[in-house]
Amino acid sequence: MFDHHCTVCDRRELIYPTQITGLTNTDHGIVVTFTCWCGAEQTMVTGRHAESAAAVTLAA
Ligand SMILES: [Zn+2]
């Protein structure tokens, strides 16, 4: 369980494991795909490379 700021409904919500739809291991860390309470698909990068991935996302 973790908290996430949804880019669609603009709310900070707790995301439960049952909402997670996918996990993808990338060079930037683990990309977690999940469905927000509003129904929007969201992603979050976690793992030890998450910080650099966030920087890449901001630069893009
Ligand atoms: Zn949402």
Side-chain angles (χ1 to χ4, degrees):
M1 186 174 82
F2 56 92
D3 69 301
H4 171 77
H5 188 118
C6 178
T7 57
V8 176
C9 64
D10 198 29
R11 291 177 61 175
R12 191 174 170 196
E13 301 277 15
L14 282 176
I15 303 299
Y16 290 84
T18 53
Q19 292 170 264
I20 295 174
T21 56
L23 293 171
T24 308
N25 212 340
T26 73
D27 291 342
H28 301 300
I30 301 164
V31 178
V32 182
T33 307
F34 54 92
T35 305
C36 175
W37 293 98
C38 71
E41 185 174 89
Q42 297 281 292
T43 56
M44 186 193 74
V45 181
T46 187
R48 59 197 166 109
H49 297 303
E51 244 179 69
S52 57
V56 168
T57 302
L58 286 175

